[in-house]
Each structure stands twice: as C-alpha cells, then as structure tokens.
Amino acid sequence: MPEVERRTIYEKSCCGRRAYSLPATDVPEVPLDELVPAGLRRAAPPRLPEVSELDLLRHFTHLSTLNFGVESGSYPLGSCTMKYNPKVNEVACRLEGFAGLHPYQPQALVQGALELMYELERWLAEIAGLARVTLQPAAGAHGELTGLLIMRASHQAQGRDPRRIIIPDTAHGTNPASVVMAGYEPVAVISDARGGVDLEALKPLLDDDLAGLMLTNPNTLGVFDENITEIARLVHEAGGLLYYDGANSNAVLGISRPGDMGFDVVHFNTHKTFSTPHGGGGPGAGPIAVRDTLAPFLPVPLVGKTEDGRFFFDDDRPQSIGKVRTFYGNFAVLVRAAAYIRGLGPDGLRRVSEMAVLNANYVMEGIKDLYEVPFERRCMHELVASAAPLKEHGVRALDVAKRLLDYGVHPPTTYFPLLVDEALMIEPTETESREDLDRLIEALRAVAAEAASDPQLLREAPLTMPVRRLDEAEAARHPVLRQRFPEDGESCA
Ligand SMILES: *Cc1c(COP(=O)(O)O)cnc(C)c1O
C-alpha cells in the first residue's frame, strides 16, 4: 500500500509551479535599483517553495488540523472556560463600522462604538452588582493590577497606606503576582476542610496593615465559599477592601453578584465568561467593576452620555489612577462580549450558569468512584478530581491528560490547584451536550481502567497525535519554528 502523503510544502516544491495566475502587467516596470538600493538587496533570491494553489491550500488546511481546539472536541480545561464562541460574535466585530475604526477619529464620528462601550459598561456593572466599569484592561491579570492600584489609591485618599493583601492558598497564580506588581505584599490564608477560606486562620491576619483580600468565588476548587458575607464583614471591619477574581464567572451569571456578596472590585475575563477565542493566548479583555466609592479612581477615559444623548470620552476625572492601556482597550473583544451578552439576555445568561454547574456536577458523579474528589460537595462550574488513586499503577495526572488526547478530549488542567495531589481540574462548560459529557466521562473511565491493565501505554501516550510527548524544556530552549528545504532539495534559482 502506498504511504499516506507526508511531504512538507518544501519537499513538494517543484520549480516553475505557481499558486497564482495574474494577467501580464500593463504598467511600465520600474528598474529594481530605483526601488531598493543595491546595498539593501539580498544577493540571491530567497528559496521559497514553488507549488500549485491546491498544494498550498492542502498545506494550510493540514496545518489547521494539527492543533486541538474547542471546535475539535471537548476542551474541559479548568479555570480557562473554553466554551464555544458563537460565530455571530465574529460577524459583529468584523462589521465595517467597528473593524475600520481609528482611535483618533473625532468622537462625533464614532458614536456607535461609544454607545456600545457605554452599554457594555452598564451590563457588566449590573452583572457584578457594582456601580461603574472600566473596559481598558487587556486581560484578567491586567484587570487585577488595575483593581489593586485603585484599592491603593482609595486607601491613600484616606491618608492610609496599608501594605498587605490576603490570598487563599487555592488562588490562581496571577493573584499573588499582581499583588507584588502593585507594590503589595501577598499573605496566604489556608483553606478549611470544605475548601473555603479558614475563618479561624483568617482572623489573626486582619490587622492595621491589611489593604484587602483577593478571592475567587467559586474558588479554584470549584466550590462556593458560603462564609463570604462573614469574610467581607471581617475584612471591611479591619479597613480592608475585597477584590473578586471573576475570571471565570460561568457559575454565577444572573444568580449571585459579587457586589451583593460584599466585594468592592471585580474583574471579568470577557474572553472566558463572555466568549472570545483565547486558546492561543489572546487578545482578551479584563474589564473591572467597582463600588461607587472607588469609581473616582477608575482609569481615564470613561464613556459618558450628555443629556441630549451624545456619547463622549470623559477625561475629567481628577482622582483617576490614569490610563492602564493605550486608547480604549481591546475593542474587538469588547464587541464580542457585547454581542454575546446581548444575544443571550438576562435569562440566557442565567441559563449559561445553570447549565455550566449542572454539567460539572454530572461529570463529577460520573467519575468520582474512579478518581478521588477531595472536596466532595456540590461543585460549581468546574470540579477538581485527583488521579492519586492511579499512582499505585505508576500512573500520574500527566499520563491521564496525555492519554485523553487519544480519545479526542483535550486534557483538563493538571497539578492545579496546588493543594490537591495529582489534581485534574475539569470544566466541561455549558456548551457541551449530554452526549458529549457522556463521552468525556467514558474517556476518563476508560483511561482509569487502562491505568490498571496497561500502565505503560498511558506513560507513552498520546499515540495518535501529530507529536508525542515533547521535552518541554528543550522545546522552550531550542524551538524549531520553521520548516526548511531538505538539504538535497532542488534549487529553482
Ligand atoms: C485565567 C485566569 C486569570 C488570568 O486571566 P488572563 O486573562 O489570563 O490574564 C486570573 N484568575 C483566574 C481564576 C483565571 O482563571
């Protein structure tokens, strides 16, 4: 049997083949010397593959299938909310009136864009249960930094400058990093047996030097901290402010609001909760919402509205911490978020959260006899299981994650949160159907069975992917980022 075609586009190159056909030029040719001075030109023409249009298309179509995306299969990557991003959002942000904007255009000519920002700000404020919003931060971590700088400006406006921010031991890594970047000192508080903040451990940390507490709720164990109003009361009493990491708000939309829980600042990751493709690392948006007392410190400009209904950039905010990003944030991402929120409406958003929680609990029930679930209670939009029971076969969470790829499932987040041994953090998202969830459960169960019957197979997985296990350190130090002509390849020059 002939082998499957595996030649690269360089190996397929054949002198004289072209992927285009253009009519002969009817304008006079300009001598090359007049265009580019000889000293700046390369000595020999570049060696580029010469292929037909069909070869070129096959090349790029093939490349597009090498990566695993949310449109390839289940992508239960906990704490990342890899939900399906409706294509209508892409249509919306590509509308010429949005995509063709220039940031220096006069405000009178961009009223539609300003209106969208004005409305989105209000929707996010309503979802947060807080007063005002800035859309400027470019990502979740950037929102954290902005929120912390606002907390600091607020303390300083009252003539105080406390230095410490309390963070639970389950926190996302960006939280302590942002605290340090904002010039604060992070202080860890341990979790209790139910996975929430340990109140007795918290109390001694509440002193004069307390600037605030940063919390995710539901936290990265996927559980809701029922003591949140008590925590808020204690922190406020000690003069601190409460920061809510709302990167993954998939569990609470339309059900509970951070502002009502007592939080003063919230950031959202629109690219997680409100849908934007983000597997490749960006771009995203990390708007933050704040309580009315903190609103004067928000970055400039905010979008205002005059009495006669005109929208404008409001720069007249003397207590603002200043700008945190050029111009007005990642506008196209904001358009996607607005389209998503508008498309679903309040009832639809609530249903997103109900389905996200239901799906996570369904998966938990389906696997908890084979994988340990250390904090076994109703989970929220994600669950944290543990591959520790497989250790007796010499199989680890990493092996489970790699083997899942062979079943057409993207690995869940592994080894996070840190306080769970061999953690598998699974977030199915609301967009997976019951059949998809069953397949996910079946895959996880099949891998657990293989751990006992054929552990070596798991240690070698994945077996069916374009690449096997990478040496991650080597890949980072000596990345091979391009294909080349084979040494003995034909030269067309
Ligand atoms: C993703 C995430 C962040 C960071 O968001 P980025 O947009 O990647 O900067 C912060 N906190 C939590 C809980 C997250 O899941």
Side-chain angles (χ1 to χ4, degrees), residues 58-82:
R58 284 185 178 154
H59 169 68
F60 284 116
T61 304
H62 173 66
L63 285 186
S64 78
T65 64
L66 294 182
N67 209 1
F68 194 103
V70 76
E71 286 152 32
S72 330
S74 283
Y75 205 140
L77 191 65
S79 196
C80 294
T81 310
M82 302 301 288

Side-chain angles (χ1 to χ4, degrees), residues 79 139-141 144 172 174-175 216 220 245 247-248 267 269 271-272:
S79 196
E144 292 171 21
H172 192 268
T174 51
N175 293 181
T216 308
T220 58
D245 178 339
N248 311 279
H267 86 258
N269 278 22
H271 45 293
K272 292 179 184 168

Side-chain angles (χ1 to χ4, degrees), residues 101-150:
L101 290 179
H102 191 283
Y104 284 136
Q105 246 167 296
Q107 294 179 31
L109 299 183
V110 294
Q111 285 293 304
L114 291 183
E115 180 173 357
L116 181 134
M117 293 169 78
Y118 184 89
E119 294 291 335
L120 179 59
E121 187 195 307
R122 265 138 205 89
W123 298 335
L124 292 175
E126 173 66 25
I127 291 166
L130 290 168
R132 292 229 55 182
V133 167
T134 173
L135 303 172
Q136 255 181 57
H142 196 196
E144 292 171 21
L145 178 65
T146 308
L148 287 159
L149 293 176
I150 288 173

Side-chain angles (χ1 to χ4, degrees), residues 75-351:
Y75 205 140
L77 191 65
S79 196
C80 294
T81 310
M82 302 301 288
K83 63 167 74 181
Y84 171 64
N85 304 295
K87 292 297 163 240
V88 67
N89 298 354
E90 301 302 314
V91 176
C93 75
R94 283 168 175 75
L95 290 174
E96 205 189 330
F98 290 139
L101 290 179
H102 191 283
Y104 284 136
Q105 246 167 296
Q107 294 179 31
L109 299 183
V110 294
Q111 285 293 304
L114 291 183
E115 180 173 357
L116 181 134
M117 293 169 78
Y118 184 89
E119 294 291 335
L120 179 59
E121 187 195 307
R122 265 138 205 89
W123 298 335
L124 292 175
E126 173 66 25
I127 291 166
L130 290 168
R132 292 229 55 182
V133 167
T134 173
L135 303 172
Q136 255 181 57
H142 196 196
E144 292 171 21
L145 178 65
T146 308
L148 287 159
L149 293 176
I150 288 173
M151 285 162 63
R152 182 140 159 220
S154 150
H155 285 307
Q156 286 175 342
Q158 294 165 31
R160 311 177 55 222
D161 200 7
R163 308 299 323 160
R164 301 168 76 184
I165 302 272
I166 299 173
I167 305 178
D169 56 4
T170 51
H172 192 268
T174 51
N175 293 181
S178 299
V179 165
V180 171
M181 276 189 81
Y184 279 126
E185 185 194 327
V187 182
V189 60
I190 56 169
S191 304
D192 64 16
R194 283 177 66 73
V197 170
D198 188 320
L199 280 181
E200 291 319 306
L202 175 68
K203 284 177 189 161
L205 303 175
L206 304 171
D207 58 20
D208 280 353
D209 209 20
L210 177 71
L213 173 129
M214 260 182 127
L215 199 71
T216 308
N217 199 22
N219 64 21
T220 58
L221 291 169
V223 299
F224 191 85
D225 199 318
E226 305 112 330
N227 294 325
I228 184 56
T229 48
E230 176 63 2
I231 294 170
R233 192 185 65 76
L234 290 170
V235 170
H236 281 149
E237 214 171 70
L241 293 165
L242 277 100
Y243 184 101
Y244 184 92
D245 178 339
N248 311 279
S249 297
N250 236 24
V252 296
L253 299 174
I255 297 172
S256 65
R257 306 193 304 172
D260 300 336
M261 297 179 213
F263 287 94
D264 304 291
V265 187
V266 173
H267 86 258
F268 291 112
N269 278 22
T270 67
H271 45 293
K272 292 179 184 168
T273 307
F274 302 111
S275 87
T276 278
H278 63 283
I288 62 171
V290 299
R291 199 170 285 293
D292 53 356
T293 46
L294 298 180
F297 307 105
L298 283 169
V300 278
L302 293 179
V303 179
K305 188 177 178 182
T306 62
E307 271 173 20
D308 61 353
R310 300 197 64 73
F311 299 96
F312 65 99
F313 283 125
D314 177 8
D315 282 292
D316 184 18
R317 306 184 64 82
Q319 286 185 286
S320 165
I321 60 164
K323 283 182 85 66
V324 297
R325 193 177 183 285
T326 47
F327 300 115
Y328 318 110
N330 281 336
F331 182 69
V333 176
L334 301 173
V335 176
R336 289 180 176 93
Y340 182 75
I341 294 172
R342 192 67 201 264
L344 286 165
D347 295 338
L349 286 181
R350 188 187 169 100
R351 185 146 173 84

